[in-house]
Every structure is written in C-alpha cells, then in structure tokens.
Amino acid sequence: MRMIFGELDGTRSPRAEAFLALCEKAGFDATLSPAIVTELWMKFIMLASNAGLTALTRQPIGRLRDDPDIAPYFTAAYREVIEVARARGVPLPPDVEQKMAGFNRNSPPSMMASMAIDLIRGNRIELPWLSGKVVAMGREAGVPTPTHALIYAALKPYVDGTPA
C-alpha cells in the first residue's frame, strides 16, 4: 500500500508535513508530492482507460492487452485522456504514454478494474466520473475522445446497475 498526497499549489505546508510524519510513524509508504495535480492525472489516465475497457469487454486486462484487436484501444484511450490533460494545462511527463503501457504490461493477467467487477455483479458503476468525465472535459476543451465516448455510450444503461 502506498499513498501519494500533496497540496494543490505544490507547497510543503505544515499540515502536509504533519500528515507525512503521521504516515511514516504508522509505517505507510507515503510520499508528499510537489506535483499532486500531475499525480492525480496520471492515476486518472490509467483508471479511466483501464476501467472503461475492462468493463466494456467484461474481460481481465491480460486477455485484452494480449489481443491484437483490442490492445490498440488502450493506447487510444490513454492518448485521449493525455490530450485532455494537456489541453487543461496539466504538466505530464514526456513518457506518460509509455508509463501507462508499462503498467498494463506488468499488471497481473487476471486483474479487472473495480468498475468491471461492479458491472458484472449488477451494481452501480462509476462511469460518469471516469469515461463520462473524459468525454465531458474533452468537449469543453475541444479535444476529440471517440474511444471514451464509445465506452460511455455503451455502458451508460448500466450506470445504476443492471437495467430492469
């Protein structure tokens, strides 16, 4: 378990320092980041894309990343979120796309995003805050998001659980 946190303005505030000290005392692997907005977007790029694709297909990441017909959609989904972030002025590392691909390559083959598991179980899904949010922010910024738009449209009937 690891935790990354920080102030939105990148400062090392007294409250952030105090929280870091508490985390270290409790034995947490904690990092006080000077670039928490970048960290949050890195997580969002991976989560929105992987959750959307594993939910849409109802398949674990191993089957998807190893399938030559679907694997390119990970790249497309990552690129869309990356372009939305850049349009919003979020500083991302130059190798962001490679980091996302590396995460996929190194993930356990049986891994499925929690949204996919919730969908399979008939529960509510977090689609509006993942692919739905990518689509909305893309529209605001004038960035096309066709992969996330398809994910959103296809899964929208399941937002509140299995349709009646």
Side-chain angles (χ1 to χ4, degrees):
M1 299 295 272
R2 148 191 133 146
M3 182 186 320
I4 300 173
F5 63 95
E7 299 290 357
L8 289 175
D9 65 4
T11 61
R12 290 184 72 94
S13 70
R15 78 177 177 154
E17 292 284 356
F19 188 64
L20 178 62
L22 286 171
C23 289
E24 290 171 345
K25 184 176 179 184
F28 293 166
D29 178 6
T31 301
L32 174 51
S33 173
I36 196 61
V37 172
T38 298
E39 300 283 358
L40 290 169
W41 272 91
M42 293 293 286
K43 173 98 179 185
F44 184 62
I45 293 164
M46 183 270 304
L47 181 60
S49 301
N50 289 359
L53 288 168
T54 59
L56 183 65
T57 61
R58 280 92 161 161
Q59 295 294 314
I61 203 162
R63 282 199 187 139
L64 303 178
R65 71 174 177 224
D66 297 337
D67 183 316
D69 293 321
I70 192 123
Y73 288 98
F74 281 106
T75 302
Y78 295 146
R79 283 183 182 159
E80 290 174 13
V81 189
I82 290 166
E83 291 308 312
V84 168
R86 288 186 174 140
R88 294 173 63 94
V90 176
L92 296 173
D95 63 344
V96 59
E97 195 176 314
Q98 292 82 6
K99 287 183 182 204
M100 296 301 119
F103 176 85
N104 262 7
R105 265 192 317 279
N106 296 315
S107 293
S110 62
M111 187 190 89
M112 287 184 83
S114 61
M115 186 168 85
I117 294 167
D118 285 339
L119 176 68
I120 290 167
R121 291 179 178 162
N123 298 332
R124 294 184 62 186
I125 58 174
E126 48 205 341
L127 180 69
W129 302 280
L130 297 174
S131 288
K133 195 65 172 172
V134 173
V135 171
M137 288 189 292
R139 283 187 188 136
E140 290 169 10
V143 174
T145 58
T147 306
H148 283 279
L150 174 63
I151 292 167
Y152 181 71
L155 293 176
K156 192 165 63 168
Y158 301 92
V159 166
D160 291 321
T162 302

